[in-house]
Amino acid sequence: MSAATQNATQNNIAHTIAADMDAVNTVIRQKLHSEVSLVNQIAEYIISAGGKRIRPVLVLLVANAYAYKGTAHHELAAVVEFIHTATLLHDDVVDESSLRRGRATANALFGNAASVLVGDFLYSRAFQMMVGLNNMRVMQILSDATNVIAEGEVLQLLNMHDPDVSQERYLQVIRSKTAKLFEAAAELGALISGCNDTQIEAAGEYGRSLGTAFQLIDDVLDYAGDANEIGKNVGDDLREGKPTLPLIYLMENGTPEQRELVRSCIEQGDEQHFDTILAAITTSGALDYTRQQAVTAAERAAAAIADLPDSVYKESLLQLAHFSVNRTH
């Protein structure tokens, strides 16, 4: 997918829910406000960085696809974005990242302590907003999701610098750490629209599979992307000793020399051999394999919403599934 086509897809989806996103951004600005200036400063810095806002978009698209009438989807979209932003703040501290979305990370600018504490503020503000909606099922979905994400973070920590991580163990991290909030966002859109359990479950399957596809393509882009396009340092995963799917595939299918090099690099967090590893990943078919796993997940997402009534919103959800695997950033 060319950059122009990617932008066109994003613009089409954005246009479909433009009024709703304006409303969500208004909620975000209102709810971000704190009497503590540093909270405002860091939260504003993170939110204004933009990003694709896919999780709030999911809430809006699914709710609209089921003809929801009301404003609770704006609140929920903001809640989901706050939870996501809190995880980013904490993630970047844990990973010692210096670059995100092409800008310095909050921890690089404001320090680790401030980033962690403002992440806590965003989490707690999200829970205040959840309670305000006075819907126990909403609270259950979001509290469960937040807990699973935290487990996923810890699981990823256990996998760091471990060259013996299996594909299944790694996919479990993706399901917990990334796909869970996609799943929750889609479920919430269906739930507030008065859908039955089967429809809510189908929306969740769409979100879960979409989130998996997105993360797997992120793994590909960490080895085959352009730092200027993807907005982070290419090779960060290797530097952090993260055994992502391309590396796991190479460990399972590479030559003895390649496997030994990957093992050493994961254990040491060694990026000095990045070019050699990249060549091995490319020639071994590891990137193709990872991309194919992402395509399978995206197809699963599209299949999950087959029974959704035809509308511009359903079309946008299908476009999003296609975009997830054909993007370069």
Side-chain angles (χ1 to χ4, degrees):
M1 189 184 276
S2 68
T5 309
Q6 289 179 70
N7 290 334
T9 301
Q10 286 181 277
N11 290 338
N12 282 343
I13 295 170
H15 179 71
T16 303
I17 49 168
D20 279 331
M21 274 312 286
D22 285 345
V24 172
N25 287 329
T26 299
V27 173
I28 286 173
R29 291 273 175 267
Q30 288 171 345
K31 299 296 184 180
L32 267 184
H33 181 70
S34 163
E35 297 303 316
V36 180
S37 60
L38 186 59
V39 170
N40 290 331
Q41 194 180 353
I42 296 177
E44 174 66 32
Y45 179 78
I46 295 297
I47 295 287
S48 67
K52 301 179 192 71
R53 294 267 172 98
I54 289 169
R55 295 153 191 83
V57 163
L58 275 182
V59 178
L60 301 176
L61 286 177
V62 174
N64 279 305
Y66 281 112
Y68 173 70
K69 298 287 181 275
T71 57
H73 59 327
H74 300 150
E75 289 277 327
L76 286 171
V79 166
V80 167
E81 185 66 2
F82 281 178
I83 291 172
H84 175 56
T85 305
T87 67
L88 297 188
L89 281 163
H90 290 169
D91 262 4
D92 286 342
V93 171
V94 171
D95 295 341
E96 300 176 12
S97 299
S98 60
L99 196 65
R100 181 180 286 280
R101 295 170 182 163
R103 304 199 309 172
T105 53
N107 49 300
L109 275 183
F110 303 100
N112 287 343
S115 290
V116 169
L117 295 172
V118 172
D120 291 345
F121 167 83
L122 287 170
Y123 267 133
S124 52
R125 178 53 49 91
F127 275 80
Q128 284 180 323
M129 291 167 69
M130 261 184 252
V131 172
L133 289 166
N134 200 26
N135 183 321
M136 187 56 77
R137 185 87 183 269
V138 164
M139 288 190 275
Q140 182 187 3
I141 288 172
L142 282 165
S143 57
D144 284 353
T146 308
N147 195 249
V148 169
I149 291 165
E151 286 180 332
E153 299 281 6
V154 177
L155 199 57
Q156 178 169 274
L157 195 63
L158 291 174
N159 287 353
M160 299 279 261
H161 302 292
D162 181 356
D164 297 317
V165 171
S166 65
Q167 289 195 33
E168 184 44 48
R169 249 173 80 192
Y170 177 62
L171 289 171
Q172 188 184 349
V173 169
I174 288 183
R175 283 193 296 271
S176 303
K177 186 173 175 290
T178 304
K180 189 63 182 178
L181 195 55
F182 279 75
E183 177 187 335
E187 284 179 342
L188 291 169
L191 172 65
I192 59 168
S193 306
C195 288
N196 60 40
D197 285 347
T198 303
Q199 291 167 319
I200 293 169
E201 202 174 298
E205 174 60 38
Y206 171 87
R208 185 165 56 250
S209 298
L210 183 76
T212 301
F214 255 92
Q215 184 56 57
L216 288 172
I217 293 300
D218 275 354
D219 292 351
V220 169
L221 294 177
D222 198 64
Y223 290 95
D226 178 314
N228 293 322
E229 272 202 69
I230 62 176
K232 66 172 229 177
N233 298 315
V234 173
D236 269 357
D237 290 344
L238 190 64
R239 178 178 61 78
E240 293 158 15
K242 274 187 193 169
T244 57
L245 195 55
L247 286 179
I248 294 168
Y249 179 90
L250 189 56
M251 279 291 292
E252 291 176 353
N253 298 280
T255 65
E257 294 79 13
Q258 288 170 337
R259 281 145 69 172
E260 197 46 51
L261 178 60
V262 170
R263 173 173 286 277
S264 167
C265 287
I266 290 174
E267 286 176 343
Q268 308 299 323
D270 177 5
E271 60 183 338
Q272 289 179 345
H273 296 94
F274 179 75
D275 290 341
T276 310
I277 294 272
L278 177 57
I281 278 177
T282 306
T283 56
S284 70
L287 293 182
D288 293 335
Y289 174 78
T290 304
R291 195 177 288 281
Q292 187 51 52
Q293 297 302 303
V295 168
T296 301
E299 288 170 349
R300 204 164 55 238
I305 57 168
D307 292 338
L308 203 59
D310 287 339
S311 67
V312 291
Y313 306 108
K314 179 181 180 178
E315 186 55 39
S316 288
L317 288 166
L318 292 171
Q319 284 179 347
L320 200 51
H322 183 68
F323 169 76
S324 70
V325 290
N326 290 291
R327 63 199 173 90
T328 56
H329 62 276

